[in-house]
Each structure stands twice: as C-alpha cells, then as structure tokens.
Amino acid sequence: MNREDFPMMNTGYIYLDNGATTWKPKYVLDKINNYYTNYTANAHRGDYDLSLKVDSEYENARDIVKEFINANSRKEIIFTSGTTESLNIIANGFFKEILEPGDEIIISESEHASNILPWFNLAKTNGINIKYCPLDDNHYVTLNNLKKVITKNTKVISLAHITNVIGDLRPIKEITEFAHANNIFVVVDGAQSIPHIKTDVKDLDIDFLAFSGHKMCGPTGIGVLYGKLELLEHVTPQNLGGGMNESFDNVNEVYLKSLPTRLEAGTPNIEGAIGLGAAIEYLQNIGLDKISEHEKNLRKYLVSKLSEIKHIDIINEESDSGVVSFNVDGIFAQDVAVYLNKYKICVRAGSHCAKILKNEVGVKNTVRISIYFYNTKEEIDKLIELLKDKNKILNEML
Ligand code: PLP
C-alpha cells in the first residue's frame, strides 16, 4: 500500500523492522525540507514574518496531534524527544512528587525498558514498590490478572497499549474504568499502538500517554506527552531555561509560562514537530482503519506461512498486531537476522529492550518481524523462502 511514497523503497531492502522505526514518506521529507529551505527561523522568539510562520507551523502541528488523539485541549499536547522522554517526565515531574513510601506501581514483565527503568528509579528514590501483573497463557495482560495484584496501596498502572515483542493489545478502556474507580492513575505507553490503531484518549480515559514520531512515519527526536490538563498543570518541568519562563529576577523569583510552553524549555525540535504533524496528516489520509486492516491480514498470512515450517517456533501466534516473534530451532536469533540481511531483509533480533520478558516466555532472544502498511505478501513470501531451508541458514551462517 502506498509504496511509491517512500524513497527508501528504491534501495531494494525488504524492511520488516517497523517496530524499531518506520520509513518516511516523501510528503514528510518535503515538509521538513521546506522548513529548512524556505522559512528557517526559531519559534516563539521573533516579531518578524519568518519566525511568525515558524510559530504558526509548529503550533499547527500541535493542533494536528490534538485532533489525532482526540485530546480536549492543545495545552494537553507537549512535544518531547519521544516516548522515553515522555515517560521520564511523567515519572519524575509528576509521580515523584506525589508518591510516598509503600505506594505501588503496577507494570508487566513485557514492558519496554522505557516503561520500566523510570519506575525502578522511583522505587529507589521514593521507596515505592513495583509489582508485575501476571501474564496469561498467551503472555497477555487481563483485567482479572491486574485485579490480583492491585491493593489499596496501588497508585499507578503503567502499561504499553501494544507491546513490542508479544504485540498484544491491552484492554485499556476496561483498565482505566476499574483503575479510576479505585483512584489509580493509568499511564499508557503508545509507542507501538499510536502508529497502527485509532486512539482516542477521551474514550479510553487515559491519564498520561507517551508516543514517538519516528515509529509513525515521522522524524526521529520528536514525540508527545499527552496528559489530562488538570494533571499536566501539576507536572514540574524537568528542563528549565529559555522559552518556558515568563520572567525572573536576580533573587531567584521565576514566573513560568502556562502550558504547553512551560514544559518545552529551550529551542524546540521545530523540524520534528512539523514532520510529525505531516506524518499524522499522511497516515490520516490513508486511514488508520485501513492501515490496521492491512496489517491484520498480512500478519495472518505471515503466521500461517511461518507455522508451516517445522523448525520455526512462533512465540506470539495469537497476537493482535503486526509484531511476530519467533525462533529457528537451534539457531541463535542474531544469526538468523544476519543471514536475512545477506538478502537485504531487515528484521530485529535480541531481547528488544524487553529484558525481563524472558521470565514469562522462557526465551531471552527472538527474531522479530514488525510490519507496516507498506509491506506486502510478496515480501513475506521472500522471507519465508529463505527461512524454509534450515540447512541453507546453517551453511550460510558460517
Ligand atoms: N515503548 C515501546 C513499547 C517501544 O517499543 C519503544 C521503542 O521501541 C519505546 C517505548 C521507546 O521509544 P523511543 O525509543 O522512541 O523513545
């Protein structure tokens, strides 16, 4: 679908590592190029036309994001460098100040490092306890399992909407309903979901949401922190400096600007925000429903083909997203990836930053295929042809 939009298609690679980052369409590249070619200036600084144009494009990108996730207000959209920074701001700028020793945060063992390590840090500094939601037989989080670990001390549940190794879609709406009835905040890591499925923060009643531009056809180094306005108002800026202050004097009196600028100190990633806005326009033009449908069908095809190969063990046969993790019997995951690379097929191998998931699935490393709307059946056929013959893999590994 829409393959002609992507200059990277001319390289001849088969790119199946979209969970790591996606390719960028010309539409996005042109928007970024246009900023640097035709109206380079800083944002929020100038009184001249060029800078005003930058302001207007930068703030327009915020409006695009707001509409995309159906936030209530543009003040709820903070540009960050990505999911990782967004989650760190939530942990350190909000929860660090309100959590007390003995409070509990629930995560799962299939979370990405970015949704684990900031909480580990709070455990150290604030004396809070980290608890893990037990996963079911398919390695999924269910509300019933969550209820098993929720106690009166539970203050936060922080989960990926879709995980990056198992690819399961968590029942966020059910979770927020139960959590809010019990005064528990819900943080959602949307890194692997926002690019693939329609997300409505109001309908899901999410308290905080984090996602990255580069996994959704946008540039690297830009992402979003969404928070309900009444919560974001209490987030302490982790960066202090230009742009975010109204005034200060020589006796330490600092007056900060209102949201969203208060949480965006320094020169922002202007090209990033403009590129992300363009990426969202591009995805919306195709349609998120169409994207999800294509990925679902392609996943089905991929899984059916992989399961015909006896020496392949699929870790997440029953998942909801375009992420398929597997191993080739007796062959190290990295060796499989290096073998496929010889044929210009890009897949990811390793623990995929979900380093404690091995406790649940019993294997440390896997080969991961993560598809996007521009992948095709023909690409999957080429992959399958190369994986079919185990002797060929063994011979060519040497
Ligand atoms: N969360 C999940 C589920 C991810 O898959 C990733 C990246 O792979 C991240 C968080 C971190 O995203 P970023 O590196 O863009 O900050």
Side-chain angles (χ1 to χ4, degrees):
M1 196 193 287
N2 292 66
R3 288 170 70 80
E4 63 286 357
D5 296 342
F6 292 81
M8 279 296 292
M9 292 296 168
N10 300 326
T11 62
Y13 280 101
I14 293 180
Y15 188 71
L16 299 171
D17 193 18
N18 295 286
T21 200
T22 62
W23 284 356
K24 322 301 172 196
K26 195 166 176 303
Y27 181 73
V28 169
L29 301 176
D30 285 350
K31 286 269 181 167
I32 295 170
N33 198 24
N34 188 31
Y35 162 61
Y36 283 125
T37 310
N38 295 316
Y39 62 98
T40 298
N42 210 327
H44 304 144
R45 306 282 157 91
D47 296 306
Y48 50 91
D49 286 349
L50 270 186
S51 182
L52 294 173
K53 161 86 173 153
V54 175
D55 276 356
S56 126
E57 293 292 331
Y58 182 77
E59 292 305 327
N60 180 48
R62 198 187 309 278
D63 288 332
I64 293 172
V65 175
K66 172 198 166 265
E67 293 299 319
F68 184 56
I69 60 171
N70 197 27
N72 258 327
S73 158
R74 60 196 317 285
K75 291 182 179 178
E76 295 175 324
I77 308 299
I78 310 299
F79 286 123
T80 64
S81 64
T83 308
T84 303
E85 189 185 17
S86 299
L87 290 169
N88 275 276
I89 293 173
I90 296 164
N92 298 321
F94 186 75
F95 288 111
K96 194 172 188 157
E97 311 210 345
I98 62 167
L99 295 183
E100 295 177 350
D103 285 348
E104 294 168 356
I105 295 179
I106 299 178
I107 56 175
S108 82
E109 291 198 327
S110 45
E111 300 312 306
H112 186 279
S114 300
N115 190 27
I116 297 179
L117 300 188
W119 305 120
F120 277 6
N121 202 39
L122 277 198
K124 273 194 201 142
T125 57
N126 284 34
I128 55 134
N129 298 319
I130 309 284
K131 292 176 86 176
Y132 297 96
C133 173
L135 304 182
D136 74 3
D137 290 347
N138 285 326
H139 318 299
Y140 293 0
V141 162
T142 62
L143 180 57
N144 271 345
N145 278 356
L146 261 178
K147 285 180 185 170
K148 289 180 194 161
V149 283
I150 289 175
T151 71
K152 63 177 186 352
N153 295 325
T154 306
K155 296 287 157 45
V156 188
I157 296 171
S158 186
L159 294 170
H161 199 172
I162 291 179
T163 55
N164 66 315
V165 181
I166 301 300
D168 55 317
L169 174 73
R170 269 76 179 269
I172 295 297
K173 193 168 174 169
E174 272 180 35
I175 292 172
T176 53
E177 235 173 69
F178 183 81
H180 292 154
N182 290 279
N183 293 320
I184 300 167
F185 292 104
V186 179
V187 176
V188 175
D189 167 357
Q192 298 292 346
S193 55
I194 295 279
H196 305 278
I197 56 168
K198 241 186 201 154
T199 306
D200 180 330
V201 289
K202 272 201 289 235
D203 179 52
L204 297 174
D205 202 17
I206 292 168
D207 295 314
F208 290 107
L209 171 73
F211 60 96
S212 302
H214 69 98
K215 293 182 195 289
M216 52 191 293
C217 293
T220 54
I222 187 78
V224 170
L225 159 60
Y226 157 83
K228 285 179 181 163
L229 192 57
E230 65 271 24
L231 303 180
L232 269 189
E233 293 285 8
H234 297 284
V235 172
T236 304
Q238 300 301 292
N239 290 325
L240 303 168
M244 50 83 77
N245 74 82
E246 199 70 67
S247 67
F248 55 91
D249 60 23
N250 60 1
V251 288
N252 261 353
E253 206 65 61
V254 184
Y255 298 92
L256 300 184
K257 284 194 177 150
S258 58
L259 289 171
T261 325
R262 185 164 64 81
L263 295 176
E264 294 178 0
T267 295
N269 183 351
I270 299 165
E271 60 150 289
I274 291 169
L276 173 59
I280 292 173
E281 284 177 336
Y282 177 80
L283 294 178
Q284 282 181 317
N285 202 29
I286 299 174
L288 263 286
D289 288 339
K290 217 167 140 191
I291 289 173
S292 304
E293 189 59 24
H294 176 80
E295 289 174 13
K296 219 161 97 187
N297 291 335
L298 201 56
R299 172 185 220 281
K300 234 188 227 164
Y301 183 71
L302 168 63
V303 168
S304 77
K305 291 285 170 189
L306 280 176
S307 17
E308 285 169 9
I309 307 177
K310 269 214 293 284
H311 53 264
I312 283 189
D313 178 25
I314 307 172
I315 309 294
N316 62 339
E317 200 156 337
E318 295 301 328
S319 221
D320 315 278
S321 68
V323 176
V324 179
S325 299
F326 66 93
N327 270 312
V328 179
D329 226 9
I331 303 181
F332 189 48
Q334 236 101 29
D335 289 335
V336 176
V338 170
Y339 161 75
L340 292 173
N341 176 55
K342 285 188 186 168
Y343 296 91
K344 297 189 91 172
I345 297 183
C346 309
V347 300
R348 177 96 180 263
S351 64
H352 319 292
C353 292
K355 290 195 166 55
I356 51 179
L357 179 61
K358 63 179 187 297
N359 301 340
E360 288 279 349
V361 299
V363 287
K364 191 171 163 205
N365 295 310
T366 56
V367 181
R368 182 187 72 180
I369 291 164
S370 46
I371 52 185
Y372 211 12
F373 57 88
Y374 42 67
N375 291 124
T376 62
K377 274 190 173 176
E378 290 69 32
E379 289 180 324
I380 300 299
D381 288 340
K382 277 190 193 148
L383 170 83
I384 294 295
E385 209 43 51
L386 287 165
L387 289 174
K388 252 184 193 164
D389 188 346
K390 189 171 167 187
N391 283 332
K392 182 174 159 68
I393 307 178
L394 284 167
N395 287 337
E396 295 194 19
M397 261 169 53
L398 301 173

